[in-house]
Amino acid sequence: MFAAHYKLDNLVAILDLNGLQIDGPITEVMNPTPHDEKFLAFGWKVITIDAHNFDEIESAFKQARETEGKPTVIIAKSTKGKGVSFMENACEWHGQAPKEDLYKVAIADLEAIAQTLK
Protein backbone atom coordinates (compact mmCIF):
# COMPACT_ATOMS: atom_id res chain seq x y z
CA MET A 1 0.00 0.00 0.00
CA PHE A 2 2.87 2.36 0.82
CA ALA A 3 4.47 1.93 -2.60
CA ALA A 4 1.24 2.58 -4.49
CA HIS A 5 0.23 5.47 -2.22
CA TYR A 6 3.50 7.24 -2.89
CA LYS A 7 3.43 6.32 -6.60
CA LEU A 8 6.80 4.56 -6.48
CA ASP A 9 6.98 3.82 -10.18
CA ASN A 10 10.71 3.11 -9.90
CA LEU A 11 10.00 0.06 -7.71
CA VAL A 12 9.85 -3.40 -9.28
CA ALA A 13 9.22 -6.56 -7.26
CA ILE A 14 9.67 -10.04 -8.66
CA LEU A 15 7.55 -12.86 -7.30
CA ASP A 16 9.15 -16.22 -8.18
CA LEU A 17 6.08 -18.41 -8.36
CA ASN A 18 6.92 -22.08 -8.73
CA GLY A 19 3.77 -23.20 -6.93
CA LEU A 20 5.60 -25.38 -4.42
CA GLN A 21 6.77 -25.17 -0.85
CA ILE A 22 8.55 -27.62 1.38
CA ASP A 23 5.38 -29.55 2.27
CA GLY A 24 3.77 -29.66 -1.16
CA PRO A 25 1.85 -27.53 -3.65
CA ILE A 26 1.05 -24.08 -2.25
CA THR A 27 -2.62 -24.45 -3.14
CA GLU A 28 -2.86 -27.49 -0.85
CA VAL A 29 -0.64 -26.38 2.06
CA MET A 30 -1.56 -22.71 2.49
CA ASN A 31 -3.21 -21.24 -0.57
CA PRO A 32 -2.01 -17.66 -1.15
CA THR A 33 -3.77 -17.24 -4.52
CA PRO A 34 -4.77 -15.18 -6.41
CA HIS A 35 -1.46 -13.33 -6.35
CA ASP A 36 -2.25 -11.01 -9.24
CA GLU A 37 -5.55 -9.80 -7.77
CA LYS A 38 -3.93 -9.08 -4.42
CA PHE A 39 -1.23 -6.89 -5.96
CA LEU A 40 -3.83 -5.17 -8.15
CA ALA A 41 -5.92 -4.44 -5.06
CA PHE A 42 -2.90 -2.74 -3.49
CA GLY A 43 -2.44 -0.52 -6.56
CA TRP A 44 0.42 -2.30 -8.32
CA LYS A 45 0.84 -2.91 -12.05
CA VAL A 46 0.99 -6.68 -12.52
CA ILE A 47 2.93 -8.43 -15.27
CA THR A 48 2.86 -12.24 -15.42
CA ILE A 49 5.60 -14.05 -17.31
CA ASP A 50 7.22 -17.42 -17.94
CA ALA A 51 10.32 -17.11 -15.77
CA HIS A 52 12.28 -19.34 -18.14
CA ASN A 53 11.66 -17.17 -21.21
CA PHE A 54 14.31 -14.47 -21.60
CA ASP A 55 12.26 -12.47 -24.10
CA GLU A 56 9.37 -12.28 -21.62
CA ILE A 57 11.72 -11.25 -18.82
CA GLU A 58 13.18 -8.46 -20.95
CA SER A 59 9.73 -7.31 -22.05
CA ALA A 60 8.46 -7.25 -18.47
CA PHE A 61 11.28 -4.98 -17.33
CA LYS A 62 10.69 -2.72 -20.31
CA GLN A 63 7.01 -2.46 -19.39
CA ALA A 64 7.95 -1.78 -15.76
CA ARG A 65 10.28 1.07 -16.81
CA GLU A 66 7.47 2.59 -18.85
CA THR A 67 4.90 2.38 -16.05
CA GLU A 68 4.10 5.71 -14.44
CA GLY A 69 2.53 6.44 -11.09
CA LYS A 70 2.58 2.97 -9.53
CA PRO A 71 4.99 0.18 -8.58
CA THR A 72 5.23 -2.97 -10.69
CA VAL A 73 5.29 -6.62 -9.70
CA ILE A 74 6.52 -9.23 -12.14
CA ILE A 75 4.95 -12.58 -11.34
CA ALA A 76 7.51 -15.00 -12.74
CA LYS A 77 5.96 -18.44 -13.10
CA SER A 78 8.82 -20.89 -12.82
CA THR A 79 9.45 -24.61 -12.56
CA LYS A 80 11.26 -25.63 -9.39
CA GLY A 81 14.51 -27.41 -10.26
CA LYS A 82 13.99 -26.87 -13.98
CA GLY A 83 16.32 -28.91 -16.11
CA VAL A 84 17.49 -31.28 -13.39
CA SER A 85 15.76 -34.59 -14.04
CA PHE A 86 15.25 -35.70 -10.45
CA MET A 87 14.60 -32.22 -8.99
CA GLU A 88 12.09 -30.75 -11.43
CA ASN A 89 8.78 -30.05 -9.61
CA ALA A 90 9.94 -32.08 -6.60
CA CYS A 91 9.10 -30.46 -3.25
CA GLU A 92 11.55 -32.64 -1.33
CA TRP A 93 14.51 -30.72 -2.82
CA HIS A 94 13.36 -27.45 -1.23
CA GLY A 95 15.92 -27.43 1.56
CA GLN A 96 18.60 -29.97 0.78
CA ALA A 97 21.57 -30.50 -1.46
CA PRO A 98 22.15 -33.66 -3.50
CA LYS A 99 24.76 -36.22 -2.49
CA GLU A 100 27.77 -36.71 -4.80
CA ASP A 101 26.11 -39.23 -7.14
CA LEU A 102 23.01 -37.06 -7.72
CA TYR A 103 25.16 -33.94 -7.94
CA LYS A 104 26.89 -35.51 -10.94
CA VAL A 105 23.51 -36.27 -12.55
CA ALA A 106 22.39 -32.68 -11.98
CA ILE A 107 25.56 -31.25 -13.52
CA ALA A 108 25.20 -33.55 -16.53
CA ASP A 109 21.57 -32.48 -16.97
CA LEU A 110 22.48 -28.79 -16.85
CA GLU A 111 25.46 -29.22 -19.17
CA ALA A 112 23.18 -30.93 -21.69
CA ILE A 113 20.83 -27.93 -21.57
CA ALA A 114 23.78 -25.54 -21.94
CA GLN A 115 24.88 -27.35 -25.09
CA THR A 116 21.47 -26.72 -26.69
CA LEU A 117 21.81 -22.99 -26.01
CA LYS A 118 25.10 -22.58 -27.88
Side-chain angles (χ1 to χ4, degrees):
M1 290 187 303
F2 178 94
H5 176 79
Y6 288 103
K7 299 177 175 37
L8 300 182
D9 53 15
N10 64 339
L11 177 64
V12 178
I14 302 170
L15 174 61
D16 177 11
L17 184 59
N18 63 37
L20 300 174
Q21 60 186 49
I22 199 164
D23 294 327
I26 60 173
T27 55
E28 294 174 15
V29 179
M30 183 178 291
N31 192 351
T33 62
H35 303 92
D36 55 350
E37 292 178 24
K38 291 178 182 181
F39 277 98
L40 287 168
F42 282 106
W44 288 62
K45 175 180 178 73
V46 176
I47 303 168
T48 302
I49 64 167
D50 172 354
H52 306 289
N53 182 312
F54 290 105
D55 292 333
E56 289 187 27
I57 296 167
E58 183 178 23
S59 175
F61 279 103
K62 182 178 184 298
Q63 290 176 60
R65 274 192 307 275
E66 294 170 353
T67 298
E68 294 182 2
K70 62 173 68 177
T72 300
V73 62
I74 299 170
I75 300 177
K77 293 187 175 183
S78 63
T79 300
K80 187 175 197 61
K82 184 160 178 75
V84 178
S85 56
F86 61 92
M87 285 185 174
E88 199 162 305
N89 283 317
C91 298
E92 61 270 19
W93 290 101
H94 184 79
Q96 65 176 320
K99 301 275 191 254
E100 184 69 23
D101 58 333
L102 289 178
Y103 167 79
K104 290 177 182 176
V105 172
I107 293 299
D109 288 347
L110 295 173
E111 286 175 344
I113 291 169
Q115 288 301 317
T116 68
L117 300 175
K118 288 184 177 180

